[in-house]
Amino acid sequence: MNIPAFLAICALFVQAARPTKPVRDFHWNWRDAQALRVSDSLRNAQVSATEKAAIATVLKVQIRPYLADLGDDSASRLEDEAFSARINLIDLNQDGTPEVIAQAMVACGASGNCPFWIFQKNSGKYKLLLDDSAETFTIQKSRTNGYADIVLALHDSAFEQTLDVYRYTNGAYAADAGCYVATVAVLDSNAIRRLTEPKLTACQEK
């Protein structure tokens, strides 16, 4: 099968599966979407050795089950994956102490969606605020209970991404603020054309 025909078939499947419920009250700051990079590893983080050790400790708790499923949760592998995890420090509640945005490169999906967490520092330890998977994340301009809302984007295809909206409630981030599909490209004359603005539709109810 040639590439244009394959793309046409993919587009038909996407068209058939696309939800139709309109979006009225949600705005995704898609231009602010971020992806953590190799250079953002905990190993390279500009924090003290004590902070690195504390962050590595909570990362190991989250990473160990994935490695166990892969059949290699040895201490050396766990240590390496924890310090290879990518992090960013962002103050989500404007209290002067940044939260840790983290992503491990284990058990990623075929399209690159990887385990994703947010931790909050409290009395020298780190509390888990969010646990999911993502390709990119967006810190929204909107806030809930003093914390910035978060959008996690999963790569579904060359045409679409799934967006989960998280808001802070009852001491953690909950994905109860909406699920959306962002159409980012369409098939045009047997070629993929990126849209200038993603088209959002609500996820279909399961």
Side-chain angles (χ1 to χ4, degrees):
M1 182 183 295
N2 59 36
I3 292 177
F6 175 75
L7 292 174
I9 291 173
C10 289
L12 289 174
F13 277 114
V14 170
Q15 180 89 15
R18 185 173 297 146
T20 57
K21 186 177 179 181
V23 174
R24 296 186 179 90
D25 301 323
F26 171 68
H27 175 73
W28 177 34
N29 300 331
W30 60 274
R31 290 184 178 85
D32 297 329
Q34 304 178 52
L36 296 174
R37 303 163 298 179
V38 175
S39 58
D40 295 324
S41 70
L42 176 60
R43 188 174 287 109
N44 295 336
Q46 299 300 306
V47 297
S48 69
T50 300
E51 286 296 302
K52 282 187 181 182
I55 296 170
T57 296
V58 293
L59 284 172
K60 289 175 185 178
V61 172
Q62 302 303 319
I63 293 172
R64 181 178 282 110
Y66 292 105
L67 294 183
D69 288 343
L70 296 173
D72 182 9
D73 60 345
S74 63
S76 59
R77 173 74 186 276
L78 187 58
E79 181 86 359
D80 182 63
E81 293 294 350
F83 280 91
S84 296
R86 303 170 185 184
I87 73 165
N88 195 351
L89 304 179
I90 301 176
D91 190 354
L92 298 176
N93 61 352
Q94 298 180 328
D95 67 349
T97 301
E99 278 64 52
V100 177
I101 313 293
Q103 189 170 42
M105 299 297 107
V106 297
C108 299
S111 54
N113 304 319
C114 299
F116 181 96
W117 307 284
I118 295 178
F119 302 99
Q120 183 177 49
K121 188 177 182 180
N122 188 358
S123 300
K125 297 182 180 180
Y126 285 91
K127 172 188 174 182
L128 182 65
L129 296 185
L130 189 155
D131 180 3
D132 205 337
S133 295
E135 180 188 30
T136 66
F137 68 98
T138 306
I139 308 299
Q140 293 281 98
K141 295 177 181 178
S142 57
R143 292 183 169 272
T144 303
N145 296 318
Y147 287 72
D149 298 334
I150 307 292
V151 174
L152 298 187
L154 291 169
H155 178 86
D156 294 329
S157 69
F159 303 95
E160 292 183 343
Q161 294 177 309
T162 297
L163 311 178
D164 285 314
V165 185
Y166 280 83
R167 292 176 181 167
Y168 186 86
T169 180
N170 297 324
Y173 274 98
D176 59 1
C179 171
Y180 303 90
V181 173
T183 300
V184 297
V186 295
L187 193 65
D188 186 3
S189 300
N190 292 328
I192 296 176
R193 175 174 62 83
R194 300 284 298 184
L195 300 179
T196 56
E197 182 93 14
K199 177 183 177 182
L200 301 184
T201 48
C203 294
Q204 291 177 322
E205 295 183 2
K206 297 181 180 179

